[in-house]
Amino acid sequence: MNDKVIKDMVYTSLFAALICVATFIIKVPSVVTNGYTHLGDGFIFIAVTLLGKKNGAWAGAIGASLADLIGGYSFYALPTFIIKFVMGYIMGTMIEKLPNIKHKRIIGSAMGSLWQIFAYYVVGSLMVGSFISTLAEIPGNTIQSAAGIIVAFAFTGVFKHTSIGKNMLEC
């Protein structure tokens, strides 16, 4: 293996761990959904920004599904893995496809969030057998996505003013 492959593996693993911690530790219980709102999505958006769509998506999928396993939501681990991977990949693809757009990371995060909200609605509906009762989860998932976008942009806004961040963040 060359140095770039090893470096990519280390950064992807590091972000998977950060995402797991941000999802598992930093959470606000939600009575409506019987789940919680967490800041892990923000770290997924940061991972995609810094690592690119493929490695950022892998970090998000691994970290978030590990948090589900550790946190007692094992029945959501596989759906979470798929949903978070696709969410990160959508964000990364939007960043690539909109190279000259100033707010491409916000657009990518919003598009990935829309996917996540829809996908968790469908998965939750299939799990409980009702597409009506799970409509109540949409506001909680929307708040979680919005919190993730705010965390990601607050962090990268500060990070881009550091010597390392200037080289890693282009906008």
Side-chain angles (χ1 to χ4, degrees), residues 1 69 74 78 88 107 113 134 154:
M1 274 193 246
L69 287 171
S74 60
L78 181 59
I107 295 168
S113 292
T134 51

Side-chain angles (χ1 to χ4, degrees), residues 7-119:
K7 184 177 172 182
D8 286 347
M9 286 174 34
V10 169
Y11 284 143
T12 302
S13 300
L14 175 65
F15 267 100
L18 287 170
I19 292 162
C20 180
V21 168
T23 303
F24 181 68
I25 303 288
I26 309 168
K27 56 187 172 183
V28 179
S30 171
V31 178
V32 175
T33 64
N34 199 27
Y36 56 86
T37 299
H38 58 76
L39 299 181
D41 289 349
F43 285 88
I44 294 172
F45 298 141
I46 293 166
V48 172
T49 299
L50 297 177
L51 305 178
K53 72 178 177 185
K54 187 177 95 182
N55 290 334
W58 279 114
I62 293 166
S65 59
L66 279 174
D68 279 350
L69 287 171
I70 295 168
Y73 296 92
S74 60
F75 52 91
Y76 264 108
L78 181 59
T80 291
F81 187 90
I82 295 165
I83 291 167
K84 299 297 185 176
F85 183 89
V86 173
M87 181 181 80
Y89 207 82
I90 287 171
M91 180 188 177
T93 300
M94 295 301 294
I95 291 170
E96 287 177 2
K97 299 290 182 190
L98 304 170
N100 298 323
I101 305 280
K102 183 176 182 180
H103 300 294
K104 61 187 173 188
R105 291 185 299 123
I106 293 173
I107 295 168
S109 298
M111 295 304 290
S113 292
L114 287 174
W115 153 257
Q116 172 183 246
I117 293 163
F118 172 76

Side-chain angles (χ1 to χ4, degrees), residues 103-155:
H103 300 294
K104 61 187 173 188
R105 291 185 299 123
I106 293 173
I107 295 168
S109 298
M111 295 304 290
S113 292
L114 287 174
W115 153 257
Q116 172 183 246
I117 293 163
F118 172 76
Y120 274 121
Y121 166 70
V122 170
V123 168
S125 297
L126 293 172
M127 284 185 174
V128 300
S130 169
F131 282 88
I132 302 298
S133 64
T134 51
L135 287 170
E137 295 181 12
I138 293 173
N141 287 333
T142 302
I143 291 168
Q144 177 176 297
S145 291
I149 292 170
I150 291 166
V151 165
F153 289 94
F155 177 84

